[in-house]
Amino acid sequence: MTNTVPGPDGQPRCFWCKAAPEFFEYHDREWGFPVDDDRHLFEKLCLESFQSGLSWRTILAKRDNFRKAFKNFDFHKVARFTEKDVERLLEDAGIVRHRGKIEAVINNARRAKELVSEEGSLATYVWRFEPQGRPDVDPQTLSTSPESVALSKDLKKRGWKFVGPTTVYAFMQSMGLVNDHAHECCMRPEIDKARKRFKRPGA
């Protein structure tokens, strides 16, 4: 999927924006811009894990509910959740009520604390897996990459759950570790500029 669709201003956007009106704002303001904020990075990993098997439209519509349910994805707070919190969340109709994924967020919050203790920040760790040079393929034609496989493998080794290579690649696309906007998309050059200005954590 490398073609485009006209946005509200008539400029071309990635074709997937056509799936829902709210995708245009998400596409223009968030998707692909580089992120170095640990809370935001943790949130996106969690939401991508919830999205597995569902549509991103479903997750985006419930994002505010997820933020409320999981203390704005402050992993220091989520790490203190107990079984009582799991049962509470399973009754929360505003989120995706999947026990395994809920428990994974709590587990991953604890693993995130450990990782920050070892690496200094989640951002420093994640950006170590930024691809150096892209394969000669069209944007949005891959669902995994060697880097997403490597990051997934390392996270799993550290005890993280629901972080398969496809989930991790979607995370890398959205958090700006790669620019996967369509070549003709009006946002692709904007993301390139943002990535050039971005100071890599730990660099």
Side-chain angles (χ1 to χ4, degrees):
M1 182 182 12
T2 58
N3 48 351
T4 58
V5 62
D9 58 0
Q11 295 297 308
R13 305 298 200 285
C14 293
F15 188 79
W16 55 263
C17 291
K18 187 178 181 181
E22 60 269 28
F23 280 1
F24 285 105
E25 182 173 3
Y26 172 71
H27 171 275
D28 287 4
R29 294 180 178 271
E30 297 185 53
W31 198 73
F33 283 98
V35 173
D36 62 1
D37 176 72
D38 279 9
R39 188 211 61 78
H40 194 176
L41 292 167
F42 180 71
E43 173 186 299
K44 189 60 176 178
L45 267 174
C46 294
L47 293 181
E48 290 293 353
S49 71
F50 270 107
Q51 192 257 327
S52 180
L54 301 170
S55 72
W56 177 243
R57 186 179 192 180
T58 297
I59 303 303
L60 190 60
K62 294 175 178 285
R63 184 164 63 171
D64 286 343
N65 297 333
F66 276 110
R67 287 171 173 168
K68 183 178 179 181
F70 287 101
K71 304 291 185 183
N72 204 31
F73 289 96
D74 181 332
F75 51 82
H76 296 283
K77 294 179 180 178
V78 177
R80 297 195 291 269
F81 279 19
T82 65
E83 181 60 29
K84 185 177 180 180
D85 291 294
V86 174
E87 297 303 323
R88 169 180 60 83
L89 292 167
L90 284 170
E91 296 298 319
D92 188 341
I95 66 170
V96 175
R97 293 178 287 182
H98 184 293
R99 177 180 288 273
K101 293 177 180 180
I102 290 169
E103 290 177 342
V105 170
I106 299 169
N107 169 78
N108 293 349
R110 295 167 183 164
R111 304 293 80 78
K113 285 184 63 179
E114 294 168 356
L115 193 151
V116 169
S117 175
E118 295 171 12
E119 303 288 342
S121 72
L122 189 56
T124 298
Y125 167 78
V126 165
W127 277 91
R128 197 178 301 152
F129 292 86
E130 179 187 13
Q132 301 302 310
R134 293 300 312 264
D136 188 22
V137 296
D138 287 328
Q140 300 172 46
T141 57
L142 298 176
S143 59
T144 65
S145 69
E147 293 82 11
S148 79
V149 170
L151 178 52
S152 170
K153 184 177 179 180
D154 196 68
L155 286 170
K156 288 178 180 179
K157 188 170 71 173
R158 292 171 180 266
W160 291 60
K161 297 179 180 178
F162 280 90
V163 285
T166 301
T167 293
V168 168
Y169 188 67
F171 163 81
M172 295 174 82
Q173 288 174 302
S174 61
M175 295 289 94
L177 278 84
V178 298
N179 183 357
D180 230 15
H181 282 268
H183 288 303
E184 303 83 5
C185 175
C186 68
M187 290 304 299
R188 185 175 180 87
E190 296 302 314
I191 297 300
D192 278 338
K193 291 176 187 175
R195 281 176 41 80
K196 286 177 182 176
R197 292 192 303 264
F198 183 66
K199 188 179 186 304
R200 272 64 177 168

